[in-house]
Amino acid sequence: MPTPTSASKPADGIGQLIGTIAALREHCPWMGALTHESLVEYLIEEAYEVVDSIEAGRGGDAPSFDDELRGELGDVLLQVVLHARLAEERGSFDFDAVARGINAKMIRRNGHVFKADGSLQESFPASVEEIIIKWDAAKRAEKPERRDPFEGIPPHLPALAAAQKSLDRAARAGLDADGVSPAAAVGLSAVPGSEDELGELLLAIVAGARERGLDAERALRKAVRTFQGGQSRPT
């Protein structure tokens, strides 16, 4: 029997979703058969659908965009709740532990905003550069054994995203990106004759975009969508 307090206060959105997923895992054969491994493709797909929603919604109708984005974010949240439920079923952790963990991490890594107990600092940094320095220092303190600045970059990132993140990591680590010159791509009109040369050219283009504050991955996605939209379809 629920207590009067719980009966008079409906579960919040997260609580309702967690209860729904628990019931589905128990009573729906398809949901019950899901594993962390089988969910990977859906997690990737839903994340990219959020990206597509954001980029396609620029300059469009605001209510329509908000409805679309809310729905896509819900699909991503579903993946998080599902993975947490699978872990809870094997006695490892639950959704609350996930939320508490990321909250603690944000407090720990943002010492320029929070004190160790989670309360706000008396003053805050004035520059993004200072924030980045403090953030990087907090990350190093968490894993002092890490010496490679590129460790932790997901190996399955899209190639251009991985290149840009690697260049960022190198710059923040004070490394000299030998052989990567943004100027190398200027004036080249022909496609290189080998994949190795093409890879070097693409890396140089990413470096040039980064220097100008441009997002190469987003630019390429937009160009692909424009190309696709401009192609004639068979009747």
Side-chain angles (χ1 to χ4, degrees), residues 29-98:
W30 187 86
M31 283 287 237
L34 291 173
T35 65
H36 289 297
E37 292 76 15
S38 68
L39 281 168
V40 167
E41 64 175 296
Y42 302 110
L43 179 60
I44 295 172
E45 178 183 344
E46 300 300 355
Y48 274 109
E49 287 188 3
V50 171
V51 174
D52 185 63
S53 176
I54 292 171
E55 295 186 352
R58 288 178 182 157
D61 179 64
S64 175
F65 166 71
D66 289 340
D67 289 344
E68 180 75 16
L69 180 60
R70 183 176 65 247
E72 297 299 350
L73 290 173
D75 290 341
V76 172
L77 177 59
L78 171 61
Q79 299 303 309
V80 177
V81 173
L82 277 168
H83 280 287
R85 177 63 192 179
L86 290 173
E88 184 177 1
E89 289 172 2
R90 64 173 184 273
S92 181
F93 59 83
D94 59 9
F95 182 87
D96 186 66
V98 174

Side-chain angles (χ1 to χ4, degrees), residues 185-235:
V186 176
L188 293 182
S189 58
V191 175
S194 71
E195 287 191 355
D196 288 344
E197 292 173 341
L198 177 59
E200 292 171 2
L201 173 59
L202 289 173
L203 186 59
I205 291 173
V206 172
R210 177 181 171 277
E211 284 195 350
R212 291 162 177 78
L214 303 175
D215 186 320
E217 185 79 7
R218 185 166 63 231
L220 181 57
R221 284 198 301 269
K222 181 179 179 181
V224 170
R225 285 198 301 269
T226 300
F227 170 78
Q228 291 174 341
Q231 301 306 299
S232 59
R233 299 292 192 270
T235 57

Side-chain angles (χ1 to χ4, degrees), residues 21 54 57 90 135 140 166-167 196:
I21 295 307
I54 292 171
R90 64 173 184 273
W135 174 274
R140 287 194 298 271
S166 297
L167 289 166
D196 288 344

Side-chain angles (χ1 to χ4, degrees), residues 132-133 135-146 172:
I132 291 175
I133 291 173
W135 174 274
D136 286 343
K139 288 184 67 176
R140 287 194 298 271
E142 289 177 7
K143 297 185 177 180
E145 72 279 3
R146 279 192 176 180
R172 286 162 69 167

